[in-house]
Amino acid sequence: MSLAAAGLWISCVWLVIYAVKYLSRRPKLLLPFSQSRRPSTEISVKNLNLRLKTEAFNALHDELSIRLSSNASPTMRQILLWLYDLGSVISVIGMLAAFSLLLSTAVTLSQDVLGTRHVAHQSTNTVAKRGLDHVEDTVALGHNAFTINPIIPGMTVPFSHLPLILLALGISQIVHEAGHAITAALHRIPMLSSGVSITFILPSAFVILPSARLENLLPRHRMRVVAGGCFHNFAFLWLLHLAAWSGIGSVLASLLFHDVSALGRIIIGIDHDSPLVAHLLVGTLVTRVDDVQMGSAAHPTTGNLWDDYLLSPTSAPASGWCVDKSILSKESGQAHLTASECVAVGLQSCFISKEDAAVQYSLYPGPIFIGSAARCSSSMKCAPSASCVVPRSDQQLVRITVARDYAGEDIVVWKGPKKEIWEQVEVGSLRPRFPFISQRLPSVASFFFEYMTLANMSLYLVNMLPITVLDGYQLLVTLLELLFSRASGGLGSVDLEALNNRSWPPHNSRAQRACRAFLSTSTLILVSLCGLLSFIRWTEN
């Protein structure tokens, strides 16, 4: 789906949402005593924000709070308290890591932009295109392996991945908010409401807790609630890594798919506007590309044969084809052509003699590749009436050998850069055992797993940045309050009445305010600087 088509669909969906909103409006009642009780679930639409807020889970949260009380299950409660204390430490480490990563990215971007401008100023007479091989397929914000690489559908990842990205982000948000809800239940803080929202196309989740009850908690307890969301993302991230390490995905895949990697690569998708759509079918097994076997049985120690070959530089085949001399002279119009005379027109391509590259012929490649012409290393290996020829290296002819229904082989001849095949055809190594299973399921599951990993990592790190609207700022406030209260008063200044009432008087000294302002402002400056430098780098590339 193109960007314009996606924009049209999104616009139509929002038009329908607003139409339903205005058609379902009810007149407001004039007398306040005649109004009914506020419903437990409400849906609101405002400024391209669709919000669903409900109290349906409040009773479940209250029940969980009772079950986790010290009287009901003291062992479970103590384990969870220790666990979320560990989560607080991990979240503080995440804040430091996120700030360091942001600072490193800003420095690297500054060096790249200033270095690029310096080189461009010194070599004004040289025009070069950066990243001619594989770099043009990715957008990297620096040479440092730990810099931030944004996921932008249609730019850094295929636009077709947008639904998977949004679904992974939505699930990760729910995991995040579950951390706040569970830690609030540990400290007997009720949940006022919860819900989900969609802003334009971005999903999010939320839980609403009473701020007064949260602020009256001891700093250590409040830190558990604030850090619970990011700790859940961190824990879920490691669960995903554990699942990948255990190999459970391969076990599940073996129940639904055959592994045909030893034979070749299965076509699981082709661009709808590709010329290959009419010649290659989804589900077809590709056994060879040119003379390179695509099956791992022929190359047991090699990596991804499909990617490696199609992204490698073009070279002439090592073996040629024996073509009858009468065909050579008939199709070329004379015995042979010189390099300047041989021009590929239409379906014809330039072939050269294996013995003398200056001897060239203008031939139709289809009958030679698909026919029964014998392969040869020189004309001596051919019959006396034939000559050994190969395509000229600049003709960009690619032979795709496929096994249709795993019986017999056909050859599809592609004329053009090899890389275009790699861009237009998606392959895999698994063939469905049942006809109702999609060929794309393994690749979709793989991409979704990757985006789930990235979404949880992003929520863990980004939410820990000390910016006012993020959890990191609240964690910084609580951490500074905890540190400064201990440093200033020690154990002798503890308010016993506050402890008995399970509340804590807020500490907000001048030093705390200065630290908060410095770290928050610094983070905002670094974020703005990274955005500006990324835009400059993108425009220059």
Side-chain angles (χ1 to χ4, degrees), residues 77 180 183-190 209-226 478 481-482 498-499 501-507:
R77 175 181 173 81
H180 294 311
T183 48
L186 272 173
H187 297 290
R188 305 298 298 269
I189 297 178
L209 305 174
S211 58
R213 292 284 297 272
L214 188 61
E215 291 173 358
N216 286 333
L217 286 177
L218 296 171
R220 181 180 174 184
H221 298 174
R222 194 189 323 148
M223 187 177 292
R224 293 190 191 119
V225 180
V226 172
T478 307
E481 184 177 339
L482 181 63
L499 289 177
N501 295 331
R502 304 185 65 84
S503 62
W504 182 262
H507 293 76

Side-chain angles (χ1 to χ4, degrees), residues 120-391:
H121 178 72
Q122 288 185 339
S123 55
T124 55
N125 296 326
T126 301
V127 178
K129 181 180 179 182
R130 301 177 61 187
L132 293 178
D133 294 326
H134 309 299
V135 182
E136 64 185 8
D137 294 327
T138 59
V139 176
L141 295 183
H143 305 296
N144 192 331
F146 296 98
T147 52
I148 300 172
N149 300 312
I151 298 176
I152 306 176
M155 293 181 62
T156 60
V157 297
F159 192 78
S160 58
H161 290 187
L162 180 60
L164 295 179
I165 295 173
L166 296 179
L167 180 60
L169 181 60
I171 295 175
S172 302
Q173 288 267 10
I174 293 174
V175 171
H176 180 94
E177 295 302 324
H180 294 311
I182 293 175
T183 48
L186 272 173
H187 297 290
R188 305 298 298 269
I189 297 178
M191 184 171 68
L192 301 180
S193 61
S194 59
V196 294
S197 67
I198 297 177
T199 304
F200 189 48
I201 60 172
L202 296 178
S204 63
F206 61 90
V207 294
I208 300 178
L209 305 174
S211 58
R213 292 284 297 272
L214 188 61
E215 291 173 358
N216 286 333
L217 286 177
L218 296 171
R220 181 180 174 184
H221 298 174
R222 194 189 323 148
M223 187 177 292
R224 293 190 191 119
V225 180
V226 172
C230 290
F231 175 59
H232 269 218
N233 289 126
F234 179 83
F236 195 73
L237 174 65
W238 279 100
L239 285 178
L240 293 174
H241 283 299
L242 180 63
W245 173 81
S246 67
I248 188 172
S250 301
V251 175
L252 294 176
S254 64
L255 300 176
L256 301 176
F257 295 88
H258 291 289
D259 187 356
V260 295
S261 58
L263 303 176
R265 293 292 182 268
I266 288 286
I267 297 177
I268 62 177
I270 306 176
D271 289 352
H272 68 278
D273 55 350
S274 171
L276 291 168
V277 168
H279 305 282
L280 296 177
L281 302 177
V282 173
T284 301
L285 177 68
V286 178
T287 57
R288 290 193 307 276
V289 178
D290 288 337
D291 295 324
V292 178
Q293 295 282 347
M294 289 291 108
S296 59
H299 308 275
T301 60
T302 308
N304 193 324
L305 296 168
W306 176 269
D307 291 354
D308 293 344
Y309 181 71
L310 292 180
L311 295 176
S312 64
T314 302
S315 59
S319 299
W321 287 261
C322 293
V323 181
D324 193 273
K325 294 179 180 178
S326 61
I327 298 178
L328 296 177
S329 60
K330 179 181 178 181
E331 294 194 8
S332 296
Q334 50 185 301
H336 63 81
L337 304 171
T338 64
S340 60
E341 293 174 339
C342 185
V343 179
V345 179
L347 298 178
Q348 288 188 323
S349 298
C350 292
F351 284 68
I352 61 175
S353 172
K354 284 289 289 183
E355 283 73 25
D356 186 0
V359 178
Q360 304 196 12
Y361 307 92
S362 182
L363 305 173
Y364 290 100
I368 298 175
F369 295 155
I370 301 174
S372 57
R375 301 300 298 272
C376 56
S377 57
S378 67
S379 296
M380 296 178 62
K381 302 294 184 179
C382 302
S385 61
S387 180
C388 187
V389 297
V390 293

Side-chain angles (χ1 to χ4, degrees), residues 2 102 181 230 256 394 447 504:
S2 65
L102 184 63
C230 290
L256 301 176
D394 62 345
F447 284 127
W504 182 262

Side-chain angles (χ1 to χ4, degrees), residues 416-437:
K418 292 190 301 182
K419 187 177 179 181
E420 291 186 359
I421 302 176
W422 181 82
E423 293 172 343
Q424 298 173 17
V425 180
E426 185 179 356
V427 298
S429 60
L430 300 177
R431 181 194 184 196
R433 294 180 182 270
F434 309 102
F436 56 84
I437 298 177

Side-chain angles (χ1 to χ4, degrees), residues 390-407:
V390 293
R392 204 168 65 190
S393 59
D394 62 345
Q395 296 303 285
Q396 298 183 323
L397 294 175
V398 183
R399 292 165 284 123
I400 306 173
T401 304
V402 298
R404 301 194 185 277
D405 298 327
Y406 301 90

